[in-house]
Amino acid sequence: MALLLAVGAASAGMTVASAADVPPADFYNPVLKGADPSIVRQGDRYYSVSSDADGVWVRESTSLAAMTDGVVTRVWEPDAEGPLCCNVWAPEILLIDGEWYIYFAADDGANANHRMYGIRALTDDPQGEWSDPVKIAAPTDRWAIDATVMQHDGSLYFLWSGWEGMVDEGQSLYIAPMSDPLTISGERVRLSEPTEPWERVALPIQEGPEVLERGGVTTLVYSASGSWTEDYCLGTLTARGGDVLDPASWEKSDGCVFAKRDTAWGPGHHTFTTSPDGTEDWIVYHASTVKDRGWDGRTIRAQRFTWDGGSPVFGSPVSTYETVPMPSGDTTVPQRTYEAEDAEVHRARVVDVSVPGASGHRKVGYIDFDDSWVEFTVTAPADGLYGVDVRYSSGTGSTSTHRVSVNGASAGSVELPSNGWDNWIFAGLDLDLRAGENTVRLSKGVGYAELDLIRVDARPIDDGATAAPATGVLSSDNGWDTGLRDGDYTITMDLWWGQNASVFRLYEDGVLVASTRLDPASPAAQRATVDIRGRVDGEYVYTGELVNSRGVTAVSPLRVSVTDAAPARPVLSHDNHDRDGAFTLTADLWWGTNATSYVFREGEVVLGEGTLTAATQSAQRARLTVEGVAPGVHRYEVEFRNAAGATVSRPVEVTVSR
């Protein structure tokens, strides 16, 4: 059950996207792609855990709202075979008495053999080294998943979802005492059974228990019904005193306390944490934007909850098209929102969304053609790299892409993993923006994806620079790479020493042609290369800028002369030695810039034409067979062409006497 990164008109649509002067202090759900979240806040860090076929992973993030920016590290890898080889489900990360623990379910490939295991961090770093797994089971050892540890009145208790017998007749909640965080010290007790209709949709299931304690009240919050249904929801067991191992001490809620709504179908399998400053309580859970998607399309969401005395009040899930206020104390850079339907749209279509999900209930779809694009005009307060989130949906079943350009220069592409149509999620990238207005264009790449909006950080990414970049030097290999000044060459920027840059921009005759990301490692040298292709004869002036979070430094100009862009002159010959009117014309280009096509002529009459494969400095040859030529003197020539121009051979005369 992976908790993964995510990453939301046929006319010209000339309305330009705009944003408020003050960026909104809010965010959109979902915050991650995946399911079964478990999160612990320690100081100014959030640590979340996830699993997949490759093992258990820990993510470190400084923000609950921007978890996609976190660093993910694998802390445990499954065995190739045996009881821990397969189906690693729903890991839970906890900090108990100053030590980190992760609990997860695994089996040998057979679901009936699912059991709970625990590992302990061997250092204070939850992304560091961990112990080998330990099986955690009561004397009555049965199917078990979704475990957590309750710390109550100085004692530890293991809570999980399991089978009563050896076969699946539904899942109940169990509890057992613990002597330490990896050892059960007594028999299990079935704390609760799924007896109510709202716990029995598809199958009778109680799972994913989590504990809240406040004001002497202990609340066990669990997920009920089939997790693949839209009716998956949260229920509670509440204890206001008494023995927590006694089922009679617990009172079940009268129905779901957190249930489905549009774009949040099947909300459940939750975790609890607090805002960065510790003043707010937050629930993090998974749900599906689209109904009837089963386990596919689940995404991780976060929102604040409140209290009524000692009882939690969760309210309703926030829809994916509604913003959520940032957690108190979250210093994540707020973002400016630009709606796709307000951008300039070319060969695509603004669509009113009948099924809620897209912001404003409008999206841009039908981005289906090579020349389909959506162009946003965004404003940046200063030059630099900015985090940009693209809110999209795609149901192609594989990863699609949109090509990205900024101010007319290519900025690569953004990957858009399939997550279902109208199931809106974010994909992130960093873009080089200059102070003032910028155009950000998303064009069709591989596959298909629809656009809802983009959100752009309100200030540049801090790259750690302490001063503006040092001065770089431009050079060119024009005339050295092939021996020809042929219009295909490489411009190189070298910053030999000093304060590094995060971005190199290259301009040709004042027009931006490339923006290249750099990795700052001051005072190490930096280099960036830009390939220039297809320039015609002439002189070009290249200038550059080195950009970091402290400023912009100009690069000295470089002049490049192109004199050999058009094809070299071909040599035309013939083999009409017997003068009989049937012969072959041969065009040879022995050395020089190659051509991509040719045309044979007699006067103004085209006799034949074709294509050539350019591979400068290699030779090229083209042939034409001529037959039935009348007696007389005939004058032929051949023209070699490429994108930069055309060159005609010296004429050759052929005499036909019979």
Side-chain angles (χ1 to χ4, degrees):
M1 305 294 185
L3 177 63
L4 303 173
L5 178 63
V7 104
S11 64
M14 293 303 292
T15 302
V16 175
S18 61
D21 291 335
V22 179
D26 56 24
F27 67 94
Y28 281 100
N29 277 316
V31 294
L32 283 175
K33 182 180 178 181
D36 305 333
S38 176
I39 298 172
V40 171
R41 182 179 73 87
Q42 184 188 46
D44 62 352
R45 293 289 187 271
Y46 289 92
Y47 295 98
S48 60
V49 66
S50 61
S51 64
D52 58 22
D54 295 322
V56 174
W57 304 76
V58 172
R59 178 189 300 272
E60 180 189 68
S61 173
T62 58
S63 171
L64 192 62
M67 293 178 64
T68 54
D69 296 335
V71 177
V72 184
T73 302
R74 183 168 61 185
V75 298
W76 177 77
E77 185 175 358
D79 298 335
E81 57 184 17
L84 284 158
C85 77
C86 309
N87 300 316
V88 180
W89 287 359
E92 174 94 349
I93 186 168
L94 294 173
L95 186 60
I96 302 174
D97 294 331
E99 293 190 306
W100 291 98
Y101 294 86
I102 293 176
Y103 304 92
F104 59 89
D107 64 28
D108 58 1
N111 178 50
N113 294 328
H114 252 114
R115 296 296 187 271
M116 287 304 309
Y117 298 86
I119 56 177
R120 179 178 61 86
L122 300 180
T123 69
D124 293 335
D125 181 5
Q127 291 189 315
E129 187 178 358
W130 288 72
S131 69
D132 291 333
V134 174
K135 182 179 177 181
I136 306 175
T140 303
D141 184 7
R142 299 288 187 267
W143 187 92
I145 65 168
D146 292 358
T148 190
V149 173
M150 178 172 68
Q151 304 174 71
H152 178 75
D153 286 345
S155 298
L156 300 178
Y157 300 88
F158 205 56
L159 288 160
W160 73 96
S161 175
W163 295 351
E164 178 67 12
M166 300 297 292
V167 296
D168 185 5
E169 295 177 339
Q171 296 169 222
S172 298
L173 296 179
Y174 290 86
I175 188 170
M178 304 186 83
S179 57
D180 62 63
L182 294 175
T183 307
I184 286 179
S185 58
E187 186 55 272
R188 69 176 187 161
V189 175
R190 181 152 68 173
L191 202 60
S192 179
E193 298 179 58
T195 56
E196 301 301 316
W198 53 274
E199 300 175 297
R200 301 175 66 86
V201 179
L203 283 177
I205 292 176
Q206 295 175 324
E207 62 185 13
E210 294 289 334
V211 178
L212 289 170
E213 291 193 310
R214 186 182 179 97
V217 178
T218 301
T219 304
L220 193 159
V221 187
Y222 64 94
S223 301
S225 289
S227 60
W228 56 94
T229 72
E230 67 181 72
D231 293 300
Y232 196 55
C233 71
L234 299 186
T236 62
L237 298 175
T238 303
R240 291 179 169 83
D243 184 0
V244 294
L245 291 172
D246 182 359
S249 298
W250 298 85
E251 179 184 352
K252 185 184 295 186
S253 60
D254 184 16
C256 299
V257 299
F258 194 64
K260 65 184 179 183
R261 66 160 294 186
D262 60 301
T263 75
W265 305 101
H269 206 116
H270 50 292
T271 186
F272 300 114
T273 188
T274 58
S275 59
D277 63 7
T279 65
E280 298 172 346
D281 292 295
W282 283 70
I283 180 173
V284 184
Y285 59 97
H286 75 235
S288 179
T289 306
V290 182
K291 292 179 66 173
D292 303 323
R293 287 291 306 278
W295 284 326
D296 295 332
R298 293 178 296 179
T299 50
I300 308 302
R301 294 103 184 283
Q303 63 189 74
R304 186 184 176 188
F305 71 94
T306 58
W307 296 87
D308 179 9
S311 300
V313 179
F314 300 117
S316 296
V318 176
S319 176
T320 59
Y321 53 82
E322 299 170 339
T323 56
V324 180
M326 293 288 285
S328 179
D330 193 326
T331 58
T332 301
V333 176
Q335 296 178 307
R336 301 176 184 228
T337 299
Y338 301 85
E339 296 283 353
E341 62 267 23
D342 295 332
E344 184 177 350
V345 178
H346 182 265
R347 216 177 179 205
R349 192 184 308 167
V350 176
V351 180
D352 291 333
V353 180
S354 58
V355 177
S359 171
H361 292 196
R362 303 183 82 196
K363 65 184 179 182
V364 175
Y366 301 96
I367 310 171
D368 296 343
F369 307 99
D370 289 341
D371 60 346
S372 295
W373 47 259
V374 180
E375 185 172 278
F376 303 84
T377 299
V378 305
T379 303
D383 287 75
L385 277 176
Y386 288 76
V388 178
D389 291 325
V390 178
R391 196 165 194 252
Y392 76 96
S393 76
S394 175
T396 61
S398 58
T399 297
S400 299
T401 65
H402 278 332
R403 291 177 287 114
V404 183
S405 65
V406 177
N407 298 321
S410 173
S413 62
V414 57
E415 291 192 349
L416 308 171
S418 179
N419 200 48
W421 296 115
D422 289 316
N423 197 23
W424 298 96
I425 57 176
F426 281 100
L429 68 161
D430 295 336
L431 296 180
D432 168 35
L433 302 180
R434 61 194 178 203
E437 287 194 346
N438 299 261
T439 58
V440 176
R441 178 179 291 188
L442 299 178
S443 307
K444 183 190 180 304
V446 176
Y448 303 92
E450 298 177 330
L451 294 176
D452 181 24
L453 55 85
I454 65 171
R455 302 198 78 184
V456 182
D457 284 355
R459 58 180 182 266
I461 297 169
D462 185 0
D463 54 12
T466 58
T471 302
V473 176
L474 295 179
S475 61
S476 164
D477 66 356
N478 187 43
W480 297 94
D481 53 343
T482 62
L484 299 163
R485 299 180 181 272
D486 58 1
D488 292 343
Y489 48 90
T490 297
I491 301 293
T492 299
M493 186 288 302
D494 282 297
L495 190 156
W496 301 114
W497 184 87
Q499 186 69 52
N500 281 184
S502 296
V503 174
F504 166 61
R505 299 176 187 152
L506 181 68
Y507 297 85
E508 181 184 81
D509 296 334
V511 177
L512 181 68
V513 293
S515 174
T516 304
R517 290 283 306 274
L518 301 173
D519 293 325
S522 301
Q526 287 185 305
R527 169 170 285 188
T529 59
V530 178
D531 291 331
I532 305 295
R533 297 290 179 263
R535 297 302 185 261
V536 300
D537 287 356
E539 186 172 82
Y540 301 87
V541 177
Y542 292 95
T543 55
E545 294 173 332
L546 291 170
V547 184
N548 66 20
S549 60
R550 295 290 181 168
V552 180
T553 302
V555 179
S556 298
L558 172 72
R559 295 180 181 272
V560 175
S561 295
V562 176
T563 57
D564 305 312
R569 195 171 201 180
V571 176
L572 187 60
S573 62
H574 68 89
D575 62 357
N576 190 33
H577 305 301
D578 56 5
R579 302 188 175 188
D580 65 352
F583 52 89
T584 297
L585 294 173
T586 300
D588 284 298
L589 191 156
W590 300 113
W591 184 86
T593 303
N594 280 186
T596 55
S597 64
Y598 64 87
V599 178
F600 286 96
R601 294 192 184 92
E602 182 178 5
E604 298 298 322
V605 179
V606 175
L607 302 179
E609 56 189 336
T611 60
L612 293 167
T613 300
T616 306
Q617 307 161 331
S618 299
Q620 288 184 304
R621 170 172 286 182
R623 283 195 171 104
L624 177 69
T625 299
V626 183
E627 296 180 341
V629 178
V633 177
H634 299 267
R635 187 181 178 91
Y636 300 99
E637 62 184 15
V638 65
E639 181 179 276
F640 272 25
R641 301 171 173 172
N642 65 17
T647 306
V648 180
S649 68
R650 295 181 183 277
V652 63
E653 292 185 347
V654 178
T655 300
V656 177
S657 57
R658 59 187 179 88

